[in-house]
Amino acid sequence: MLRSVFCKHTLLISTSGWLNLPRVICSSSSLSSSDSKTSTATMMSQSKLPSPPVAKKVEHKMELFGDVRVDNYYWLRDDSRSDPEVLANLKQENDYFESAMSGTKKIEDNMFAELKGRIKQEDVSAPFRQGSYYYYTRTLEGKEYVQHCRRLIRNNEAPPSVHDTMETGPDAPPEHVILDENVKAEGRDFYSVGCFQVSPDNKLVAYAEDTKGDEIYTVYIIDIETGTPVGKPLVGVTASVEWAGNEALVYITMDEILRPDKVWLHKLEADQSNDICLYHEKDDIYSLGLQASESKKFLFITSESKITRFVFYLDVSKPEELRVLTPRVVGVDTSASHRGNHFFITRRSDELFNSELLACPVDNTSETTVLIPHRESVKLQDIQLFIDHLAVYEREGGLQKITTYHLPAVGEPLKSLQGGKSVEFIDPVYSIDPSESVFSSRILRFHYSSLRTPPSVYDYDMDMGISVLKKIETVLGGFDTNNYVTERKWASASDGTQIPICIVYRKNLVKLDGSDPLLLYGYGSYEICNDPAFNSSRLSLLDRGFIFAIAQIRGGGELGRQWYENGKFLKKKNTFTDFIACAEYLIKNCYCTKEKLCIEGRSAGGLLIGAVLNMRPDLFKAAVAGVPFVDVLTTMLDPTIPLTTAEWEEWGDPRKEEFYFYMKSYSPVDNVKAQNYPHILVTAGLNDPRVMYSEPAKFVAKLREMKTDDNILLFKCELGAGHFSKSGR
């Protein structure tokens, strides 16, 4: 678990006339006259808004290393989420939000219809072949959630091909709906299925559901054909669930601070109280993970911190026996795959910072062979194994690539890799992600998208070297990818480091003379790669003349492991100064001006937004901080808060004096000061286990107390959701 990314609020700035941006939005001829009138009326009525909520001040002193911090809003933290005074404060903020937004109702309705009008509501995902069936999801007109379905493959003896298609129509094998999430979600404010795992014999399915947004799941096992429950559900678990053969499941539970700490073996029909604990990780810096091998013959249990990961394995035919594959060595990170009589191990260390690939015999795991050596300029990010092939996902110069290799027959010596083939892509900047593929085939499936190319599913024949498009997201409303331009630019950071910026805009609307509005998005933590992917909602910005840009700042992993290392611990401020450098580059090169520059980040990206608002509030017109991690020092000093102990290796341990004062120097709540700030929107989720709702609540309360401007500050807390906002599409 981490304070992760994913933008769901990209349009909040553009739809809000109260942000004094109607002149920006209305500069585009594509904005309707009714939208323009509504924006103008909203701007005129801004002075009529009620006074914003004022949170009471209760002095709370915290002292360490001779330093005294006073947090007058500490009382806003209520771990039970039930304190009437706290809930009343959140409701007042929500009411103020609704009041401030009341004048934009017509814009919102128009925008919602526009967004909805791009979505093909009746749709089917790219079918995935498993055994004798195609599995896929279906969306329905007017429904929020998906149906999980399957169809029989009539000629399932034929080997998979990139040209395979699922039969449909009246003469095709009938569709069977295994699970309808719309039915399960009825009467609930929140509903999310975290995993959907079909048993190897295709007779059962295990799925995990969360009905609060707190990411604590209940796992149900049902008969696929009849929907009949098999045994009692597993409660209080994570979404990490894998089949160990056809008659057992392996799953993970969490401790009181929501750290995944125990892995369990569950026999079907048995009571959960009788399940076998296979491993208990007692060191609270480490968390457990679970993954099935592509061959489905082994399960890998990992115990990992931010700098170390070691691996256990179990043979699914003997699931009670958990064995060590790679030992715990601090600073060494390993992950594993399996094929034939070999384990494949990806290993990273301080010296081999971009990782190497090893192979070892299953019956002699200490005998390793280097298949891909460490390379300083190429990061080995992931691998995918097949019976005769290996696919390697890499990054070079910030761009992703896939290289495939033909492997010797199972049982033959495995000494080196020869003749790798690279998959070709069509955009200058793009995003690719692995997808589950048929292990026994030569067909690699992957997901592709770019800032102007909708999400696409490709099947790639690793022998023939050809890619076939299996599915591309349909974007209605006259979308034409040729109307949009994507670019990649480089900004110079304060230390001379070159920071990549991915940019997209509509070429017939943008003038590139400084008059265009721009939304700059950033993240920069956890080695997460903020790759340029498509978002159909973003078109409502682009089609109004906005430019959208992603700052791939240090702290992320876009340019390899060192890119991450140079944006964490005592180098964390590089993340913030990199983002500021990107903003200044965009202004200097006439993509926008300060008066037209809006910024956004979520979670750890919300920390980014909070930090740069304190550092350079003059540089931005408006900011959106989604579920922001803004009370860094107080949170990281409290080991009872979820994620804290595991993240001392990400942010530093402020119980040590050097880290304490460094973290205090950038923690947004600790650095709010009496100065002018731009327009700001902050969001939170009451049930969020990753960033407690109280962090953004305190940030807003302190901003209301300290800021010296009359710009709008809004806070919206979803009272029935968690980190990822409301459920449903």
Side-chain angles (χ1 to χ4, degrees):
M1 294 176 69
L2 45 80
R3 296 176 172 94
S4 62
V5 68
F6 306 117
C7 167
K8 293 192 178 182
H9 302 287
T10 307
L11 288 169
L12 286 170
I13 293 175
S14 69
T15 60
S16 307
W18 44 263
L19 284 181
N20 272 347
L21 289 178
R23 289 172 293 134
V24 171
I25 298 176
C26 296
S27 64
S28 166
S29 60
S30 64
L31 184 64
S32 70
S33 59
S34 60
D35 279 359
S36 176
K37 292 174 183 176
T38 305
S39 295
T40 303
T42 302
M43 182 173 64
M44 292 173 63
S45 65
Q46 180 173 306
S47 61
K48 300 178 182 179
L49 287 177
S51 297
V54 177
K56 71 175 184 179
K57 297 169 67 173
V58 180
E59 186 178 272
H60 178 84
K61 290 185 177 180
M62 297 169 285
E63 183 174 356
L64 190 62
F65 304 119
D67 179 62
V68 178
R69 292 184 300 135
V70 178
D71 184 351
N72 291 320
Y73 305 106
Y74 189 88
W75 67 271
L76 283 167
R77 174 183 167 185
D78 170 34
D79 292 2
S80 71
R81 276 85 167 169
S82 62
D83 184 284
E85 198 169 11
V86 171
L87 294 176
N89 173 270
L90 298 178
K91 185 178 185 301
Q92 289 171 6
E93 288 286 0
N94 284 349
D95 290 344
Y96 179 69
F97 174 88
E98 295 299 333
S99 177
M101 294 290 288
S102 61
T104 67
K105 185 66 168 64
K106 185 173 179 60
I107 298 176
E108 291 181 22
D109 290 343
N110 291 344
M111 192 70 70
F112 179 73
E114 186 176 301
L115 303 184
K116 189 176 177 181
R118 292 197 192 95
I119 299 172
K120 183 182 180 183
Q121 295 198 45
E122 296 263 355
D123 207 1
V124 174
S125 66
F128 172 71
R129 181 171 175 169
Q130 178 173 322
S132 301
Y133 297 91
Y134 279 122
Y135 289 87
Y136 54 97
T137 58
R138 178 181 294 281
T139 54
L140 304 173
E141 180 81 25
K143 297 293 185 180
E144 291 280 2
Y145 302 93
V146 301
Q147 294 178 328
H148 298 264
C149 310
R150 78 175 183 184
R151 281 184 196 266
L152 185 69
I153 301 173
R154 219 190 300 261
N155 182 23
N156 62 70
E157 298 301 322
S161 162
V162 291
H163 302 295
D164 288 342
T165 57
M166 182 177 70
E167 290 185 79
T168 57
D171 298 327
E175 175 178 273
H176 175 62
V177 178
I178 303 169
L179 179 72
D180 189 338
E181 291 186 19
N182 298 288
V183 175
K184 299 288 292 181
E186 285 180 2
R188 302 185 187 277
D189 292 331
F190 185 94
Y191 187 81
S192 176
V193 170
C195 77
F196 186 88
Q197 301 283 24
V198 177
S199 62
D201 62 6
N202 292 277
K203 293 181 179 180
L204 305 175
V205 68
Y207 67 94
E209 68 173 28
D210 171 13
T211 58
K212 291 177 62 179
D214 58 6
E215 300 178 55
I216 301 174
Y217 291 85
T218 299
V219 172
Y220 298 88
I221 306 162
I222 60 172
D223 181 285
I224 287 183
E225 286 298 327
T226 66
T228 304
V230 177
K232 295 179 180 179
L234 306 175
V235 299
V237 305
T238 73
S240 294
V241 179
E242 295 287 353
W243 286 95
N246 295 307
E247 298 179 352
L249 287 173
V250 175
Y251 64 93
I252 292 174
T253 58
M254 297 179 285
D255 63 13
E256 62 277 1
I257 60 169
L258 304 184
R259 177 181 64 94
D261 70 325
K262 292 180 181 177
V263 59
W264 301 83
L265 176 66
H266 173 74
K267 300 291 182 69
L268 298 190
E269 306 284 2
D271 191 87
Q272 187 175 359
S273 62
N274 295 322
D275 289 351
I276 301 170
C277 182
L278 297 173
Y279 181 70
H280 179 196
E281 179 53 77
K282 298 179 181 180
D283 189 330
D284 58 13
I285 290 179
Y286 290 82
S287 298
L288 298 181
L290 173 65
Q291 182 180 3
S293 67
E294 294 94 334
S295 66
K296 306 302 182 187
K297 293 184 177 181
F298 290 90
L299 296 183
F300 299 110
I301 290 90
T302 59
S303 182
E304 61 181 299
S305 70
K306 292 295 182 290
I307 63 172
T308 304
R309 177 165 51 187
F310 54 101
V311 183
F312 302 92
Y313 70 97
L314 60 83
D315 186 327
V316 297
S317 66
K318 297 175 287 186
E320 295 89 353
E321 300 178 20
L322 191 66
R323 299 182 177 182
V324 174
L325 177 55
T326 58
R328 183 193 309 228
V329 179
V330 174
V332 176
D333 183 308
T334 56
S335 58
S337 301
H338 167 260
R339 171 224 182 225
N341 57 338
H342 283 90
F343 290 127
F344 286 61
I345 300 170
T346 303
R347 181 170 66 184
R348 181 200 57 76
S349 67
D350 289 343
E351 296 76 23
L352 310 172
F353 51 84
N354 276 335
S355 300
E356 63 179 356
L357 180 63
L358 312 172
C360 66
V362 171
D363 57 4
N364 185 7
T365 58
S366 62
E367 182 187 321
T368 59
T369 300
V370 176
L371 298 180
I372 299 178
H374 172 260
R375 295 152 295 171
E376 290 196 2
S377 62
V378 182
K379 176 183 176 181
L380 198 166
Q381 190 159 350
D382 204 354
I383 70 166
Q384 199 166 355
L385 277 170
F386 298 80
I387 192 66
D388 293 319
H389 297 84
L390 167 68
V392 181
Y393 291 80
E394 300 168 313
R395 308 185 71 92
E396 185 171 15
L399 294 178
Q400 298 171 276
K401 63 179 185 177
I402 304 174
T403 306
T404 65
Y405 300 88
H406 195 282
L407 297 174
V410 171
E412 292 185 6
L414 186 58
K415 297 298 182 183
S416 62
L417 299 176
Q418 303 293 333
K421 294 180 181 178
S422 295
V423 183
E424 295 184 358
F425 304 108
I426 57 178
D427 294 290
V429 289
Y430 51 84
S431 175
I432 53 177
D433 292 293
S435 179
E436 187 173 5
S437 303
V438 179
F439 175 72
S440 60
S441 77
R442 66 188 191 192
I443 310 304
L444 169 70
R445 173 164 288 190
F446 62 88
H447 294 268
Y448 176 88
S449 117
S450 78
L451 292 171
R452 67 187 190 111
T453 305
S456 310
V457 178
Y458 282 90
D459 279 353
Y460 176 77
D461 189 313
M462 291 180 283
D463 283 343
M464 304 292 291
I466 58 172
S467 297
V468 175
L469 179 65
K470 307 304 291 186
K471 171 77 178 179
I472 185 167
E473 180 181 294
T474 300
V475 181
L476 304 177
F479 169 74
D480 182 351
T481 185
N482 294 314
N483 290 334
Y484 304 90
V485 175
T486 60
E487 298 176 355
R488 192 183 194 215
K489 301 296 182 181
W490 299 80
S492 293
S494 54
D495 62 1
T497 301
Q498 296 297 293
I499 314 299
I501 311 173
C502 302
I503 301 170
V504 62
Y505 54 86
R506 183 157 178 155
K507 58 187 176 184
N508 65 328
L509 295 180
V510 168
K511 297 178 285 298
L512 298 179
D513 60 359
S515 66
D516 303 305
L518 188 146
L519 176 60
L520 177 62
Y521 185 83
Y523 189 70
S525 293
Y526 299 108
E527 203 178 359
I528 286 176
C529 300
N530 197 4
D531 290 312
F534 188 82
N535 182 338
S536 65
S537 295
R538 191 185 299 134
L539 297 175
S540 289
L541 284 179
L542 303 181
D543 291 351
R544 284 167 172 77
F546 261 83
I547 299 169
F548 178 77
I550 298 172
Q552 294 181 318
I553 49 187
R554 282 176 284 186
E558 293 89 350
L559 273 76
R561 178 73 182 188
Q562 289 182 318
W563 197 249
Y564 165 60
E565 297 285 357
N566 287 325
K568 65 178 294 194
F569 282 160
L570 300 174
K571 298 179 180 178
K572 187 60 199 172
K573 289 183 184 177
N574 284 338
T575 301
F576 316 135
T577 54
D578 285 358
F579 189 82
I580 290 170
C582 289
E584 291 175 332
Y585 172 91
L586 293 166
I587 293 169
K588 180 180 180 181
N589 289 275
C590 296
Y591 284 92
C592 64
T593 60
K594 293 180 181 181
E595 291 72 28
K596 302 290 182 74
L597 177 56
C598 315
I599 58 174
E600 181 183 13
R602 298 191 81 250
S603 197
L607 160 63
L608 164 71
I609 299 303
V612 300
L613 284 175
N614 286 330
M615 295 167 69
R616 288 295 307 277
D618 63 299
L619 197 55
F620 315 109
K621 180 67 175 180
V624 176
V627 291
F629 175 43
V630 284
D631 198 12
V632 180
L633 192 54
T634 301
T635 291
M636 297 308 295
L637 281 167
D638 188 346
T640 69
I641 294 177
L643 304 186
T644 292
T645 56
E647 299 206 350
W648 283 330
E649 291 182 346
E650 174 73 26
W651 310 101
D653 183 351
R655 298 174 303 175
K656 300 174 182 177
E657 186 172 357
E658 184 179 27
F659 283 111
Y660 175 90
F661 285 104
Y662 185 79
M663 294 165 74
K664 182 185 176 183
S665 72
Y666 70 76
S667 177
V669 165
D670 291 288
N671 287 279
V672 173
K673 58 179 75 74
Q675 61 181 351
N676 289 348
Y677 285 86
H679 302 291
I680 302 171
L681 169 67
V682 180
T683 68
L686 182 63
N687 298 322
D688 191 340
R690 300 179 183 233
V691 177
M692 291 184 66
Y693 75 91
S694 53
E695 293 198 35
K698 289 198 289 183
F699 184 53
V700 169
K702 194 168 183 180
L703 278 169
R704 292 208 190 284
E705 175 193 355
M706 301 292 292
K707 73 189 190 79
T708 55
D709 58 82
D710 294 323
N711 290 329
I712 295 293
L713 169 61
L714 293 182
F715 178 41
K716 176 66 182 294
C717 181
E718 296 288 358
L719 301 180
H723 195 65
F724 299 105
S725 190
K726 288 185 175 181
S727 60
R729 62 171 175 162

